[in-house]
Amino acid sequence: PQDPSTRSDIRDCSADPPYLPPTATNTTVHLAMLRDIMRTHGVHAYIVPSTDAHMSEYISKQDARLGWLTGFTGSAGTAVVTQDKAALWTDSRYWTQAERELDCNWELQKTTSIESIGIWILKAVPAEGNVSLDPFLFSIDTWNSYSRALHGSGRTLLPLGTNLVDQAWGDQRPLPSSSEIYSLPAEFTGSSWQEKVAGIRQRMEQHVRRPTAVLLSGLEETAWLFNLRGDDIPYNPVFYSYTLLTNTTISLFVEESRLSAAARESLRSGCPGPLCVELQEYGQVSAHLRYYTKGNVTVWLGTEYTTYGLYAIIPQEKLLEENYSPVMMAKAVKNSREQEMLRAAHVRDAVAVIQYMLWLEKTVPQGQVDEFAGAQRIDAFRRAQEHSRGPSFQSISASG
């Protein structure tokens, strides 16, 4: 292997002047803007994750705050910025990529443990300093881990209602998707959304705590419950939304103008009554939850997909916490129609893969194929199959 110090595709910050490959992003201006905003908020360190407000595995361009700030485009990482330091933590899949994309404003930390982030923060932030984050971008568990890491150190973990990266990004930040949210035909689902709602309400009644509401934050939870689909996030048929389902009401927080006419009609078909879906603005979920939890209620939620920001609104005694919501558990068990559809999808995909293998056998000996052309070809074979809505992740294509 080539000696890393002689490689020209990764940065060398020890050289004078420092060497940056053409793939590195100059982050000086973005960092200066963020640090100005941090000063006005009295923040000594700001933590930026790679997630969105729904703990999604994949994110939209609008939520790529880590990428905008650091230049790093890997799918997993955490950045911390102080007035004079900036560091990125990521796992071993991305170390080489980070050395290609980061400039010398950034230290690369080759770990992902919150403990190591905490140790770095304690060295970089003076006692009595404020460590801030956007509580709507951190899971309950992650928040608790940071809280433990800083506990008793004199530093304060301070949730901020406004996202400082978004403030710095300003009107350059990509707009949210405006594409249509559509109904999935009954032939694909095997049960209507009304049947699914009835099933969840039955689980609520049967639970020993008798919760009065279920809060859904995971995007696939709401999409599954209402048999709706969208394309707000690449490779995922979901749309930005929250749901608060009570014994007698259904509140769907979504941008109403994006719902197709058929979707809107389907949701409103039970109005008025307990199967009437009340459409609310996506951004109103916190205010609605704050109002709802003033009453004599118990809110059931799954901690894996709920952010600390929403969780903190609900008084502890009114919370029923489990790892996954009852919707996520119901969604995991496929009905006979869904099983049939899964098998049929796998058969269609197998046809595309066989076509691809045949194409490779014919074209590789001619010496004309590289990995990228191969990935494009298999995507094309898959797109040609009936009902294709695109791949579920970017084709990972390698040979040799």
Side-chain angles (χ1 to χ4, degrees):
Q2 194 178 357
D3 172 10
S5 62
T6 63
R7 284 175 56 170
S8 61
D9 65 334
I10 62 173
R11 63 183 184 156
D12 183 357
C13 296
S14 63
D16 189 18
Y19 170 74
L20 292 178
T23 46
T25 301
N26 183 337
T27 62
T28 304
V29 173
H30 291 179
L31 277 169
M33 287 157 69
L34 177 63
R35 283 170 172 149
D36 279 349
I37 293 164
M38 285 166 61
R39 271 194 295 274
T40 64
H41 285 272
V43 169
H44 298 94
Y46 194 63
I47 308 173
V48 182
S50 54
T51 53
D52 66 9
H54 303 272
M55 303 291 102
S56 305
E57 182 185 0
Y58 289 75
I59 56 168
S60 68
K61 285 190 171 76
Q62 187 203 20
D63 286 316
R65 298 173 179 90
L66 190 74
W68 178 82
L69 184 64
T70 66
F72 171 69
T73 60
S75 69
T78 303
V80 181
V81 177
T82 68
Q83 283 303 330
D84 58 353
K85 287 190 174 71
L88 172 79
W89 283 257
T90 191
D91 65 75
S92 56
R93 292 174 298 168
Y94 294 119
W95 292 346
T96 304
Q97 180 177 338
E99 295 289 9
R100 288 174 178 162
E101 293 182 332
L102 298 175
D103 65 7
C104 291
N105 287 312
W106 292 90
E107 301 168 25
L108 176 60
Q109 303 286 332
K110 296 184 172 181
T111 169
T112 55
S113 81
I114 289 175
E115 194 182 8
S116 97
I117 299 175
I119 290 166
W120 188 92
I121 288 172
L122 293 182
K123 285 181 188 162
V125 174
E128 312 305 313
N130 287 327
V131 179
S132 273
L133 46 72
D134 178 346
F136 290 94
L137 293 180
F138 288 83
S139 71
I140 299 158
D141 285 351
T142 307
W143 168 274
N144 290 337
S145 298
Y146 280 112
S147 194
R148 281 194 297 274
L150 300 177
H151 181 71
S153 70
R155 283 86 175 167
T156 305
L157 189 58
L158 188 70
L160 282 181
T162 171
N163 188 293
L164 304 191
V165 173
D166 291 353
Q167 262 189 286
W169 206 346
D171 57 12
Q172 297 302 300
R173 186 180 173 212
L175 294 169
S177 172
S178 57
S179 62
E180 189 175 72
I181 298 165
Y182 57 95
S183 292
L184 203 60
E187 70 208 69
F188 292 103
T189 62
S191 57
S192 68
W193 70 259
Q194 290 91 340
E195 288 167 330
K196 291 178 179 180
V197 164
I200 301 304
R201 282 177 169 159
Q202 196 176 353
R203 287 180 184 225
M204 289 161 67
E205 275 172 37
Q206 290 166 351
H207 199 287
V208 63
R209 289 272 313 274
R210 300 298 289 269
T212 60
V214 173
L215 175 66
L216 305 179
S217 292
L219 298 182
E220 61 270 49
E221 297 179 298
T222 289
W224 177 85
L225 185 64
F226 295 112
N227 293 333
L228 295 175
R229 297 293 184 267
D231 52 14
D232 290 9
I233 295 179
Y235 310 112
N236 291 264
V238 295
F239 51 93
Y240 288 110
S241 56
Y242 294 96
T243 300
L244 188 70
L245 171 65
T246 77
N247 303 327
T248 55
T249 65
I250 311 167
S251 299
L252 170 57
F253 300 87
V254 68
E255 198 180 320
E256 185 179 344
S257 62
R258 295 179 51 206
L259 289 164
S260 72
R264 199 171 304 146
E265 200 175 311
S266 156
L267 297 172
R268 308 293 287 166
S269 59
C271 297
L275 285 172
C276 172
V277 180
E278 294 166 28
L279 298 170
Q280 314 247 13
E281 271 306 306
Y282 171 75
Q284 288 301 306
V285 65
S286 296
H288 187 92
L289 195 57
R290 200 167 277 117
Y291 175 77
Y292 178 74
T293 52
K294 282 182 177 153
N296 181 22
V297 298
T298 302
V299 180
W300 191 358
L301 55 78
T303 55
E304 287 287 322
Y305 287 87
T306 308
T307 61
Y308 181 77
L310 284 182
Y311 172 83
I313 290 170
I314 307 164
Q316 281 294 311
E317 70 278 6
K318 296 179 182 183
L319 259 172
L320 167 55
E321 296 173 54
E322 288 177 5
N323 285 352
Y324 298 100
S325 77
V327 168
M328 203 57 106
M329 301 306 279
K331 173 182 169 296
V333 182
K334 305 303 179 193
N335 63 40
S336 57
R337 186 67 183 149
E338 287 171 318
Q339 291 179 37
E340 198 186 317
M341 293 286 102
L342 281 168
R343 290 189 192 101
H346 276 282
V347 171
R348 289 195 299 274
D349 196 64
V351 170
V353 174
I354 291 164
Q355 288 173 324
Y356 178 59
M357 296 292 189
L358 186 65
W359 178 82
L360 281 178
E361 271 181 38
K362 285 180 179 169
T363 52
V364 168
Q366 298 164 19
Q368 298 298 310
V369 185
D370 60 21
E371 288 96 330
F372 185 65
Q376 289 181 304
R377 178 63 61 155
I378 194 165
D379 287 351
F381 281 131
R382 285 179 161 142
R383 267 198 309 276
Q385 288 295 325
E386 194 183 8
H387 305 307
S388 169
R389 306 291 300 203
S392 61
F393 58 89
Q394 195 169 8
S395 290
I396 298 171
S397 176
S399 67

